[in-house]
Amino acid sequence: MQPTTCAECLSREFSFCSMFRRALEAPHVLAPEVRTVAARRIICREQDVLADVPIICSGWALSAVMLSDGSRQILSFLLPGDIVSAALLFDPKPGCFVESITNVTYRTFRRAQLKQLLFSRPDMADRVARLWIDEKRRADEMIVDLGRRPATERIARLMLGLVARLRHRRLANGNEVEFPLRQHHIADAVGLTPVHVSKLLSDFRRNGLIRLSERSLAILDMAGLCAVANMR
Amino acid sequence: MQPTTCAECLSREFSFCSMFRRALEAPHVLAPEVRTVAARRIICREQDVLADVPIICSGWALSAVMLSDGSRQILSFLLPGDIVSAALLFDPKPGCFVESITNVTYRTFRRAQLKQLLFSRPDMADRVARLWIDEKRRADEMIVDLGRRPATERIARLMLGLVARLRHRRLANGNEVEFPLRQHHIADAVGLTPVHVSKLLSDFRRNGLIRLSERSLAILDMAGLCAVANMR
DNA sequence: CGCAGTTTTGATTTCTGTCAACGTCTGTGG
DNA sequence: CCACAGACGTTGACAGAAATCAAAACTGCG
């Protein structure tokens, strides 16, 4: 059921991998190494120096920063087709630590090879720039969310954003998606405590906005949730 | 007192401008247009399409996102030598609005010219990448601050970060710097209300950490402020 | 079964926002 | 030169949001 080569992978059409579609369809060109990790495993640490660039092939992961008091801030959730961070194309230090949420498979590409491919075609610079601009835009939106939006709005936006990303990659089509996040993941992403997240999610359910159980999220009232999220 | 050409400008040695040092010293190569705006003026809006890339030459500015309820989140303070956003090198839409804090002079470079220069030398891609990586790192730090640090810590870190940037550019050398920010600027940057910022700054003063008056900030107890900021 | 991780719920505390009043400063126009 | 209006900063009382603490139920899994 899971693709065994990039040439069979759906993500090849979307997100990061689409830039290398041609090269990926001829597997001998890039020949990335495949790795598999179980859920809740560390993929890389903040101070690591990565010789290779990891791309998520299946499963969910997260990138985060740890603080000295033991708490952490999640910077982004990584879905199939995502590069851990565009900065890794140029800098071997990830600057964040990366952990699997579900079972994850990822492929590691040689940085030098990717860069060579990147600059072999004139339009590549613009495509890398686009990738980078999108990453930065998401970071800026997160800053706005954390700085100026109330808790319910942040949670609603997180869920809507994830559903939109999944749909864009054809990993979901209805308003119901696989949702492996624990409440502490949500808490660490939106800057709240798990206890408070639990209470607010109960409110969402009480108001008929969502159904969330068994690692599955259904948006029951899209208009209502968008209203809570202050979107559209 | 203020330089009239890039060839005389100190910022040429640091930050963004340093990438073009050679070209800037021969003014006929890039020939940017110079503009001057008074304090509290809009430099560009979120939906604008900018034909040129603005670089701050003197004064302080800010980039921010406005929300529908009238509040705003400041994304970054722009100091002499800063590009408004590295994304502008590739994308004419700034995605944020930019406002002068003090009187500001800035130069606008033709995007096509900059890009041409950028790719005329093989090491340029790495330098642009470095610029971009730093911008992203700052955004990530801001996410961590807003998501996981208490108010006093955020304010202390903002002040320390600004002082460090000023010193790095030789715009300050002691622990006393020109500081044109109003308390509402601080509030909009760290996600608080101006009233609360006022109270916390009073605490800082009471504890002998800083002196802040007359558009000037002196860090009286660097170790103490770093401790509050949870740094070093 | 037993255990560790997760979720829920209620009581309480802490932090931050809101509101309002007042004083200061600054630039502007008469 | 003065009066004035705005913007800014400070302070206190209060309200609301989110954290903390604690206990109990639930889940999945070896």
Side-chain angles (χ1 to χ4, degrees):
Chain A
M1 161 188 161
Q2 220 174 79
T4 56
T5 70
C6 290
E8 302 167 22
C9 179
L10 269 180
S11 293
R12 174 177 106 260
E13 300 289 338
F14 310 104
S15 74
F16 181 75
C17 299
S18 65
M19 293 202 291
F20 305 103
R21 192 149 41 87
R22 282 287 157 68
L24 291 172
E25 284 165 3
H28 55 283
V29 177
L30 284 170
E33 189 182 329
V34 185
R35 303 190 194 185
T36 306
V37 294
R40 295 163 39 78
R41 290 292 188 288
I42 293 175
I43 293 177
C44 76
R45 283 170 226 272
E46 200 159 347
Q47 317 82 344
D48 283 353
V49 177
L50 301 185
D52 303 305
V53 181
I55 312 279
I56 308 294
C57 300
S58 72
W60 290 39
L62 63 86
S63 74
V65 172
M66 312 299 292
L67 279 85
S68 51
D69 67 352
S71 66
R72 67 177 182 182
Q73 174 63 45
I74 292 179
L75 297 175
S76 67
F77 293 107
L78 304 173
L79 305 181
D82 279 336
I83 185 172
V84 162
S85 131
L88 277 175
L89 292 174
F90 292 90
D91 188 348
K93 285 180 287 191
C96 57
F97 101 110
V98 178
E99 183 181 299
S100 59
I101 296 170
T102 63
N103 292 353
V104 163
T105 64
Y106 61 102
R107 283 181 164 76
T108 53
F109 294 80
R110 302 242 140 236
R111 180 173 301 103
Q113 266 187 331
L114 277 191
K115 281 176 78 169
Q116 191 185 345
L117 204 61
L118 242 49
F119 294 105
S120 64
R121 298 180 45 165
D123 63 326
M124 274 303 199
D126 285 321
R127 302 182 75 166
V128 175
R130 171 54 45 197
L131 177 78
W132 223 320
I133 289 169
D134 290 342
E135 199 176 291
K136 179 63 164 37
R137 164 136 11 110
R138 282 239 298 278
D140 285 347
E141 272 170 21
M142 208 154 166
I143 289 172
V144 175
D145 287 352
L146 292 169
R148 285 293 177 223
R149 294 188 202 274
T152 50
E153 214 167 307
R154 299 206 293 265
I155 294 177
R157 295 174 76 89
L158 173 65
M159 294 192 301
L160 287 171
L162 283 169
V163 170
R165 284 171 68 196
L166 290 168
R167 293 175 66 143
H168 179 254
R169 291 167 202 213
R170 311 295 187 274
L171 294 169
N173 40 32
N175 280 336
E176 180 152 12
V177 301
E178 297 218 4
F179 197 79
L181 299 189
R182 303 287 166 169
Q183 293 185 359
H184 74 260
H185 291 125
I186 299 176
D188 286 342
V190 299
L192 298 169
T193 56
V195 175
H196 200 226
V197 169
S198 169
K199 290 172 182 171
L200 296 179
L201 286 179
S202 296
D203 289 346
F204 282 12
R205 279 189 274 251
R206 229 190 320 281
N207 295 331
L209 297 175
I210 62 170
R211 183 161 39 78
L212 179 56
S213 57
E214 327 253 323
R215 313 299 113 211
S216 162
L217 166 67
I219 297 180
L220 303 177
D221 176 2
M222 180 58 86
L225 194 60
C226 286
V228 169
N230 208 355
M231 290 173 101
R232 240 148 301 276
Chain B
M1 164 187 159
Q2 222 174 80
T4 55
T5 70
C6 289
E8 303 166 22
C9 179
L10 269 179
S11 291
R12 173 178 105 258
E13 300 288 337
F14 309 104
S15 74
F16 182 74
C17 300
S18 66
M19 291 203 292
F20 304 104
R21 192 150 40 88
R22 282 288 155 67
L24 291 172
E25 283 164 5
H28 56 281
V29 176
L30 284 170
E33 188 183 329
V34 185
R35 303 191 194 185
T36 305
V37 294
R40 297 162 39 77
R41 291 290 188 287
I42 294 174
I43 293 177
C44 75
R45 282 169 226 274
E46 202 158 346
Q47 318 80 347
D48 282 353
V49 177
L50 301 185
D52 303 305
V53 181
I55 312 281
I56 308 294
C57 299
S58 72
W60 290 40
L62 64 84
S63 74
V65 172
M66 311 298 294
L67 278 87
S68 51
D69 67 352
S71 66
R72 68 177 182 182
Q73 175 64 44
I74 291 179
L75 298 176
S76 68
F77 293 108
L78 305 173
L79 305 181
D82 278 337
I83 186 172
V84 162
S85 133
L88 277 176
L89 292 173
F90 292 89
D91 188 347
K93 284 182 285 188
C96 58
F97 101 108
V98 179
E99 183 181 299
S100 59
I101 296 171
T102 63
N103 291 354
V104 163
T105 64
Y106 62 102
R107 283 181 163 75
T108 54
F109 294 79
R110 302 241 141 238
R111 180 173 301 104
Q113 266 188 330
L114 278 190
K115 281 177 77 170
Q116 191 186 345
L117 204 60
L118 242 49
F119 294 105
S120 64
R121 298 180 42 164
D123 62 327
M124 274 303 201
D126 285 321
R127 302 183 76 167
V128 175
R130 172 53 46 195
L131 176 78
W132 222 320
I133 288 169
D134 291 342
E135 198 176 291
K136 178 62 163 36
R137 164 133 15 105
R138 282 240 297 279
D140 286 347
E141 273 170 19
M142 207 155 166
I143 289 171
V144 175
D145 288 352
L146 291 168
R148 283 295 176 221
R149 296 188 201 274
T152 51
E153 214 166 306
R154 299 206 292 265
I155 294 178
R157 294 174 77 88
L158 174 64
M159 294 193 300
L160 288 170
L162 284 169
V163 170
R165 283 171 69 195
L166 290 168
R167 294 174 66 141
H168 180 253
R169 289 166 202 211
R170 311 295 188 273
L171 295 170
N173 39 34
N175 280 336
E176 180 152 13
V177 300
E178 297 216 8
F179 197 79
L181 298 190
R182 302 288 167 165
Q183 293 186 356
H184 74 260
H185 291 124
I186 299 177
D188 286 344
V190 299
L192 299 170
T193 56
V195 175
H196 201 225
V197 168
S198 169
K199 290 172 183 172
L200 297 179
L201 286 179
S202 297
D203 289 346
F204 282 12
R205 279 189 273 250
R206 230 190 319 282
N207 295 331
L209 297 176
I210 62 169
R211 184 160 40 76
L212 179 54
S213 57
E214 327 256 323
R215 313 298 113 213
S216 161
L217 166 68
I219 297 180
L220 302 177
D221 176 1
M222 180 57 87
L225 194 60
C226 285
V228 170
N230 210 354
M231 291 174 99
R232 240 148 304 273

